[in-house]
Every structure is written in C-alpha cells, then in structure tokens.
Amino acid sequence: MTEVPLFPLGTVLFPGGRLPLQIFEVRYLDMVGHCHREGLPFGVVSLIHGGEVRKAGDEDQAPEVFQNIGTMARITSWQAPQPGLMRIDCVGEQRFKVLGQRKLKHGLWVGDVERLEADQTVTVPDDLVHVAQQLERVIQHLQARVISPEQFPIATPFALGDCGWVANRWSELLPLPPAMKQNLLTLDSPLMRLELIADFLEQV
C-alpha cells in the first residue's frame, strides 16, 4: 500500500495512454511541481460527482466523488510558461485501487492505494485481428493529419499485436460514456476488454 496524491478528472486514463494537462490551481501546482522534481507519479481517478476545478468561495459546490480504480500518471514533459501556470504531458502507467482517501486543508486529495497487476501480454487472436487493423488505419490517418508529435493523441511505442494495448487505445479514442470507459479500465483481462471493444465497433 502506497500513499499518492490524487487528481480527479472528468476522463479515464488507461495504462500507456497520453494525458496532456494545463495546471493552474494552487493545490495541483504544488503537487505537480513536487512530482516533477522527485520523478514521482500521481494518481488519476475519474470523477463521479463534482467538478475538476474548485471555485474559490463557492461553499455550495458539490463535493468531489471519484472512482476507486485509477491509473498512475508519470510526467514526461513539463513547462511553466508563466507564474501560476504549468503545462505537462503524462503517460499512464499501472492501475491502482484506492483503499482510503482524505482531503488536505488546501484541497488536494491523497489516497492509500494498492497497485494492481499490470496487463499480461496477450497476442491479439485471429478473430480480433480486424480490430487491431482498424486501429492501425486510424493511426495512419492521424499521422497524415497531425504534424506535431506533441499533438499526437497516442503515445509510442505502438503495440498493435497486444490485446491490452489495442483495447486501451480504442477505449481512449471511441466516444464511449465515462462509466463504460471506467468499466473497461477495471477489467483484469485484456482479452475481455478487447472483445467488448470489438462488440462496440460492430454497432457503430
């Protein structure tokens, strides 16, 4: 069990996923600055209720309620273009389960978390190869349109032969409801995750 700072967001971060963030709240500026200096990850959890940004002086603002399964985020690039503003790029690492949580005085959440097992590498089976091929075509299309590597939505290296990687990238790209993305994140089986993605693709 490890104590980590938590960043509740209105999105779901998957292992291997890219997450650009613009930071301006004091509670997160301090946390991100510390993680950057020390080379430490922070935990991203998906919001159930409440907003990403805490409004100063708004006592009636709904409290933040978030999922208990999240993903560690490691900072890969960091910029501070002006005082009170940071721009960072992160990559998703290991999933974790929140066993306990508390809110500090300045509004930052910290959690006691248990890291979950990383996905086993599972080769995409023959009956799901078409799902990986569709993703490859999407990547090629994006590569033709996106000039700057910093703007490319998918982190490298690509692993189009691996069930977990393909399922995670589709989970990020598809317009799925947040609750469905969260359900995909909680699945321990990368093959089952990919099968569910294949079912969704057949419906669109």
Side-chain angles (χ1 to χ4, degrees):
M1 190 169 65
T2 308
E3 183 179 85
V4 298
L6 299 175
F7 202 144
L9 292 172
T11 189
V12 179
L13 177 64
F14 286 82
R18 182 174 177 263
L19 179 68
L21 291 172
Q22 183 165 279
I23 314 295
F24 52 87
E25 286 191 79
V26 173
R27 56 177 172 167
Y28 296 132
L29 287 169
D30 292 343
M31 180 268 283
V32 167
H34 174 74
C35 289
H36 174 66
R37 288 190 302 271
E38 303 297 325
L40 298 172
F42 57 88
V44 172
V45 285
S46 181
L47 281 165
I48 301 172
H49 299 295
E52 292 184 351
V53 178
R54 189 178 59 170
K55 299 175 183 176
D58 188 354
E59 303 298 333
D60 297 326
Q61 185 176 2
E64 296 153 320
V65 180
F66 45 82
Q67 302 283 356
N68 70 337
I69 302 292
T71 302
M72 293 293 184
R74 186 170 298 277
I75 299 169
T76 56
S77 68
W78 177 92
Q79 293 179 323
Q82 64 188 55
L85 177 65
M86 290 180 185
R87 292 193 180 103
I88 63 173
D89 203 14
C90 307
V91 64
E93 295 191 329
Q94 197 167 3
R95 296 178 307 145
F96 62 83
K97 182 176 184 178
V98 180
L99 302 178
Q101 64 201 45
R102 68 183 188 280
K103 197 173 189 178
L104 304 183
K105 287 183 179 179
H106 63 304
L108 180 70
W109 287 96
V110 294
D112 295 320
V113 308
E114 177 185 25
R115 293 174 183 259
L116 302 177
E117 290 291 331
D119 283 346
Q120 297 293 318
T121 300
V122 178
T123 301
V124 176
D126 292 343
D127 63 325
L128 294 175
V129 165
H130 66 284
V131 180
Q133 291 171 338
Q134 283 179 268
L135 179 60
E136 185 176 23
R137 289 193 290 272
V138 170
I139 290 173
Q140 290 170 347
H141 177 70
L142 290 171
Q143 287 173 328
R145 295 182 60 186
V146 178
I147 298 174
S148 171
E150 292 78 18
Q151 296 177 331
F152 201 74
I154 301 176
T156 56
F158 301 153
L160 288 160
D162 178 60
C163 282
W165 190 90
V166 174
N168 290 348
R169 301 298 75 79
W170 270 124
S171 298
E172 295 159 356
L173 293 170
L174 288 169
L176 303 173
M180 184 173 179
K181 292 193 178 193
Q182 182 67 31
N183 288 338
L184 289 166
L185 179 69
T186 62
L187 290 173
D188 291 327
S189 168
L191 176 57
M192 184 179 296
R193 207 177 306 145
L194 187 59
E195 288 172 340
L196 289 173
I197 289 293
D199 290 342
F200 182 83
L201 286 171
E202 287 180 0
Q203 298 170 17
V204 297

